[in-house]
Amino acid sequence: SAQIADLQQKLLDADNGDRAKQRWDTIATILEAKCALKYLLGELVSSKVQESKLQSGLSQSQANCTDVQKMLMEERNHMAELEAEFQNQILVQEQQHQEKVNQSSRIS
């Protein structure tokens, strides 16, 4: 069934290509050519406007992505600092606890 669908699509594409060729072949007068060119130029302008909008959206998305990556790095650095501080506090607590244990064993 995949091959059948592929063949059907190829036939549709070929048919559309033939129709487009026939349309261009039927242009017989300067007026028809002018109309066709006017239409094509309109489509070109429309495509360029759409491309410009998409490019602008892409640039904005890239800028947003860069900002998010920067914030993520800042947060990672902050988390690393907090973790280092926490580990230092644990070490201090362990040392204080060990000193208390040693002092109570000397007293006994």
Side-chain angles (χ1 to χ4, degrees):
S1 71
Q3 287 178 331
I4 292 171
D6 187 45
L7 287 172
Q8 287 174 337
Q9 186 61 45
K10 286 180 182 178
L11 286 172
L12 286 173
D13 291 344
D15 189 38
N16 287 338
D18 288 343
R19 282 189 206 154
K21 186 178 183 306
Q22 287 173 356
R23 272 189 232 129
W24 287 111
D25 288 345
T26 60
I27 294 177
T29 67
I30 296 293
L31 182 59
E32 289 173 346
K34 283 182 179 180
C35 288
L37 283 173
K38 186 175 181 178
Y39 171 78
L40 287 175
L41 286 174
E43 288 297 307
L44 177 64
V45 168
S46 177
S47 294
K48 288 293 185 179
V49 168
Q50 184 67 14
E51 178 189 12
S52 177
K53 287 178 182 178
L54 290 171
Q55 187 63 41
S56 177
L58 176 62
S59 296
Q60 183 63 41
S61 294
Q62 288 173 331
N64 290 344
C65 181
T66 300
D67 290 344
V68 168
Q69 287 175 333
K70 183 180 175 184
M71 286 175 19
L72 180 60
M73 277 306 264
E74 289 172 356
E75 288 300 317
R76 283 182 178 162
N77 290 338
H78 182 66
M79 287 300 297
E81 290 171 6
L82 290 175
E83 186 175 354
E85 184 180 325
F86 179 68
Q87 291 295 333
N88 190 39
Q89 288 177 359
I90 289 174
L91 183 62
V92 168
Q93 291 292 326
E94 287 174 349
Q95 288 172 347
Q96 289 175 353
H97 177 71
Q98 190 63 36
E99 288 173 8
K100 287 179 182 178
V101 168
N102 289 341
Q103 285 178 358
S104 66
S105 66
R106 285 187 214 151
I107 295 174
S108 306

